[in-house]
């Protein structure tokens, strides 16, 4: 399988900034981006091996799961941390775009790969995949439910202190008008199929945002033929969120794994914005946190 990843990458310190690319220290942001990029190599490329002490050699590993991957990192001007990302095998795509519209430049990169790749991925530069079966699950999902459906991973953050906790951060929005009119979640709202010896459920949700999307070649070709493809917009929350989510909301039935099996497909957010800000320990219950 051949996979093209297109990732918007921007860094410009601004203490008043809302996004991690503005408010994070350069070292922390560079580390998050390195973890994002290395996770793609470590899980989906041939950069994997099995140590054989008896023979004193290294065998290739996960050959049936690995793919040929290309990672395009899209930047604008000199506002980036490319100098900190050596050794990760990325194609640096320089643009003169408005920083907040870089995601739409990534859409153009993905479109340019039609006919050359089997899968197309867009993700923000602070997301990490740790599931070597990620694309296998996506392929299975579309074999079950067709290419008019898109499966989004559940995005989560992790904390080790003050208690170990995993928080899925893209639940129901605080305002029901968030994304209103951009999708019809009443259409085939809940679907399920057997996988790994159990029934796995998927749900249409008010907030399909995950900071990423993953489409097969037929799905991308279908979307790329639409007049709104790669056209900058702020219709879904803002330009960054629109680049990741607006197009798939408009042109596909978007699902996420249902809450009872949320981990079926998931992706880690490496720049925590929720844990530690809204969750506090419950007195006398060291493994419990409460929302504030």
């Amino acid at each position: 399988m051949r996979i093209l990843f297109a990732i918007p990458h921007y860094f410009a310190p601004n203490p008043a900034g809302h996004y991690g690319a503005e408010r994070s220290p350069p070292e922390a942001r560079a580390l998050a981006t390195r973890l994002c990029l290395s996770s793609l190599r470590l899980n989906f490329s041939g950069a994997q091996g099995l140590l054989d002490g008896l023979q004193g050699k290294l065998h290739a590993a996960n050959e049936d799961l690995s793919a040929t991957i290309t990672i395009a990192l899209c930047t604008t001007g000199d506002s980036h941390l490319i100098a900190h990302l050596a050794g990760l095998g990325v194609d640096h795509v320089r643009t003169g775009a408005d920083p907040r519209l870089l995601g739409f430049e990534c859409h153009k990169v993905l479109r340019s790969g039609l006919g050359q790749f089997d899968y197309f991925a867009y993700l923000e530069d602070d997301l990490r995949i740790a599931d070597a079966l990620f694309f296998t699950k996506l392929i299975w999902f579309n074999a079950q439910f067709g290419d008019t459906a898109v499966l989004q991973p559940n995005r989560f953050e992790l904390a080790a202190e003050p208690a170990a906790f995993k928080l899925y951060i893209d639940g129901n929005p605080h305002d029901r008008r968030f994304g209103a009119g951009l999708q019809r979640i009443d259409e085939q709202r809940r679907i399920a199929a057997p996988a790994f010896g159990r029934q796995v459920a998927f749900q249409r949700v008010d907030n399909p945002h995950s900071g990423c999307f993953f489409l097969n070649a037929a799905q991308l070709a279908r979307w790329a033929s639409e007049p709104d493809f790669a056209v900058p917009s702020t219709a879904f929350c803002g330009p960054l969120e629109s680049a990741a989510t607006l197009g798939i909301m408009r042109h596909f039935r978007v699902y996420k794994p249902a809450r009872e099996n949320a981990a079926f497909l998931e992706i880690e957010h490496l720049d925590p914005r929720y844990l530690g800000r809204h969750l506090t320990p419950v007195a006398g219950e060291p493994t419990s946190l409460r929302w504030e």
Side-chain angles (χ1 to χ4, degrees):
M1 184 165 61
R2 300 160 299 171
I3 308 171
L4 174 60
F5 296 89
I7 301 173
H9 170 64
Y10 172 76
F11 180 77
N14 177 3
H18 176 68
Y19 297 102
E22 299 168 325
R23 55 180 171 74
S24 299
E27 298 80 8
R29 194 64 187 182
L31 176 59
T33 303
R34 283 195 70 90
L35 291 173
C36 167
L37 299 173
S38 62
S39 75
L40 307 180
R41 292 283 173 203
L42 297 174
N43 285 290
F44 306 121
S45 79
Q48 307 177 61
L50 173 67
L51 181 61
D52 186 337
L54 185 63
Q55 297 186 38
K57 63 187 295 186
L58 195 66
H59 299 286
N62 289 320
E63 296 160 288
D64 289 349
L65 299 176
S66 63
T68 300
I69 71 172
T70 298
I71 305 172
L73 202 64
C74 297
T75 67
T76 185
D78 296 323
S79 300
H80 57 72
L81 296 168
I82 293 292
H84 298 266
L85 305 176
L88 294 172
V90 301
D91 294 343
H92 185 188
V93 180
R94 297 173 174 84
T95 79
D98 181 314
R100 295 182 182 271
L101 302 179
L102 264 177
F104 297 97
E105 297 299 311
C106 290
H107 294 182
K108 298 174 185 177
V109 171
L110 294 175
R111 180 174 57 193
S112 72
L114 283 170
Q116 304 171 58
F117 295 90
D118 305 299
Y119 246 92
F120 299 82
Y122 171 94
L123 67 160
E124 294 170 356
D125 65 354
D126 58 1
L127 298 176
R128 172 166 60 180
I129 300 174
D131 182 359
L133 294 175
F134 193 93
F135 285 94
T136 301
K137 292 175 181 177
L138 290 173
I139 293 168
W140 170 87
F141 178 86
N142 286 118
Q144 298 293 315
F145 303 111
D147 286 343
T148 58
V150 165
L151 182 60
Q152 287 282 79
N154 282 307
R155 193 168 55 149
F156 67 90
E157 295 177 1
L158 296 176
E161 297 178 341
F165 202 80
K166 180 179 188 177
L167 178 68
Y168 292 99
I169 62 175
D170 298 306
N172 290 327
H174 67 278
D175 188 338
R176 297 292 299 217
R177 293 171 297 179
F178 184 77
L182 298 175
Q183 59 176 347
R184 294 185 58 185
I185 62 173
D186 56 311
E187 294 181 349
Q188 300 183 51
R189 181 155 191 161
R190 186 178 173 91
I191 55 179
F196 304 107
R198 56 164 298 151
Q199 197 80 351
V200 181
F202 307 93
Q203 188 86 27
R204 305 288 302 277
V205 292
D206 289 328
N207 181 14
H209 184 66
S210 298
C212 56
F213 62 75
F214 305 87
L215 303 174
N216 62 35
Q219 289 173 319
L220 182 66
R222 172 188 166 192
W223 180 23
S225 69
E226 299 290 342
D228 63 340
F229 184 82
V231 176
S233 176
T234 61
F236 179 69
C237 192
L240 276 67
E241 295 81 5
S242 293
T245 309
L246 178 62
I248 61 172
M249 289 175 73
R250 282 176 167 168
H251 300 293
F252 301 93
R253 299 191 328 274
V254 181
Y255 293 88
K256 288 184 178 180
R259 179 162 52 92
E260 61 268 28
N261 46 234
F264 179 82
L265 196 75
E266 60 183 7
I267 193 165
E268 183 179 2
H269 187 221
L270 295 167
D271 180 35
R273 294 178 55 193
Y274 298 92
L275 278 172
R277 297 190 181 191
H278 301 292
L279 292 172
T280 57
V282 176
E285 300 181 33
T287 62
S288 297
L289 299 177
R290 68 168 177 267
W291 179 264
E292 291 188 342

